[in-house]
Amino acid sequence: MKQKVLIVDDELLLIKGLKYSLEQDGYEVDSAMNGTEGIKKGCLEEYDFIILDLILPEIDGLEVCQRIREKSNVPILILTAKDEDMNKILGLEYGADDYMTKPFNILELKARMKAILRRTQIGKTKPNDQTIRIDDFIINTLGRKVSIHDQEINLTAKEFDLLLLLASNPGKVFTREELLEIIWGYEYFGDLRTVDVHVRRLREKIEKKTNSYEYILTKWGVGYYFRNRK
């Protein structure tokens, strides 16, 4: 079955170029040219991947990202203008998995898509779940689900990968550079703030207190690590 991609952008030429290139790689491509339509399609239809521009008519891309994320864990890659550093960070805060700056290289975009899809698709066709119990966590590696005290936690693809890596290596400190390379892949050319944003988002979802972290700890000047098992 073909993987289905939604492109939300108001530039018709960009949509046509991306659609042609992605269809050559075997994807099924749908599109929306404003925020309202993007939310409607992203929330009501099932997609394997969404490419979302932040500058859109009617409703901006940040709200579109947030609204879709409330309904779905579909991987989202946002497109930003060159000088929109704050919007890149906000996009990640609102649940995007990755971002690229316009103009972009289509080959790099497709490489990032494939890397993200590889991680999110692992085990989906396998019938038996495999679980890892770490402290209060139950991590279903095949279904890519996480629960704490029997309550399921809604994580994005990157948040899940980040938690699984840290929790599977308790006490091991990972530098931001290492996390960027391992989680986002060698083809990712982002900055280290991407790691910090995802760690902060993950903490907000799994930590009981915001001023005293219990699970994901910081080694100042080095990086992050998961607490040693009890």
Side-chain angles (χ1 to χ4, degrees):
M1 182 180 296
K2 291 184 177 180
Q3 292 177 309
K4 192 173 181 180
V5 178
L6 173 65
I7 302 172
V8 187
D9 200 296
D10 63 340
E11 297 182 38
L12 185 57
L13 289 178
L14 183 144
I15 290 177
K16 286 183 175 180
L18 272 177
K19 186 175 188 296
Y20 176 80
S21 184
L22 292 173
E23 286 178 343
Q24 295 303 301
D25 284 3
Y27 295 101
E28 180 181 344
V29 182
D30 193 6
S31 63
M33 294 193 67
N34 59 63
T36 303
E37 187 181 10
I39 291 173
K40 183 178 179 180
K41 288 189 172 183
C43 291
L44 297 181
E45 300 184 36
E46 291 188 6
Y47 295 95
D48 297 289
F49 202 91
I50 295 178
I51 300 171
L52 171 65
D53 190 13
L54 292 187
I55 307 300
L56 294 169
E58 299 185 11
I59 301 175
D60 68 73
L62 289 175
E63 184 174 347
V64 174
C65 182
Q66 188 177 34
R67 296 274 292 277
I68 292 175
R69 187 54 75 224
E70 290 172 355
K71 301 290 185 180
S72 170
N73 284 328
V74 58
I76 299 174
L77 185 149
I78 58 175
L79 303 177
T80 72
K82 184 176 182 180
D83 299 323
E84 292 179 332
D85 284 345
M86 183 53 66
N87 278 343
K88 294 172 187 174
I89 294 173
L90 287 173
L92 296 173
E93 292 277 10
Y94 286 5
D97 295 276
D98 199 351
Y99 69 82
M100 289 192 70
T101 301
K102 289 183 174 181
F104 54 84
N105 184 307
I106 183 64
L107 295 178
E108 182 186 347
L109 182 143
K110 291 195 290 187
R112 294 196 194 185
M113 281 184 59
K114 289 177 181 178
I116 294 172
L117 287 168
R118 276 199 303 270
R119 297 184 182 100
T120 57
Q121 295 299 319
I122 289 176
K124 281 191 174 180
T125 59
K126 298 180 181 179
N128 298 318
D129 288 345
Q130 178 180 340
T131 59
I132 298 175
R133 295 178 181 269
I134 303 170
D135 292 339
D136 301 321
F137 291 88
I138 298 178
I139 302 177
N140 179 334
T141 61
L142 300 186
R144 296 180 65 81
K145 296 179 180 180
V146 175
S147 62
I148 305 176
H149 300 302
D150 296 324
Q151 181 175 357
E152 187 172 330
I153 307 300
N154 188 26
L155 301 182
T156 67
K158 286 293 190 296
E159 290 166 356
F160 178 89
D161 292 336
L162 186 58
L163 176 62
L164 181 60
L165 176 66
L166 294 174
S168 299
N169 297 275
K172 175 177 172 55
V173 179
F174 290 89
T175 67
R176 290 171 175 83
E177 291 85 357
E178 288 174 330
L179 291 173
L180 194 66
E181 181 177 354
I182 295 170
I183 301 300
W184 280 262
Y186 70 90
E187 71 279 352
Y188 185 78
F189 300 102
D191 59 53
L192 299 180
R193 289 177 300 178
T194 300
V195 176
D196 296 330
V197 169
H198 278 77
V199 168
R200 182 164 64 250
R201 263 198 353 230
L202 185 55
R203 280 171 165 169
E204 289 173 353
K205 294 181 178 181
I206 69 172
E207 299 283 0
K208 299 175 183 177
K209 301 177 181 178
T210 57
N211 59 346
S212 179
Y213 300 123
E214 182 179 0
Y215 300 111
I216 299 178
L217 308 179
T218 302
K219 183 71 172 180
W220 294 108
V222 183
Y224 300 103
Y225 66 100
F226 198 88
R227 76 177 189 199
N228 283 308
R229 299 180 186 180
K230 295 178 180 178

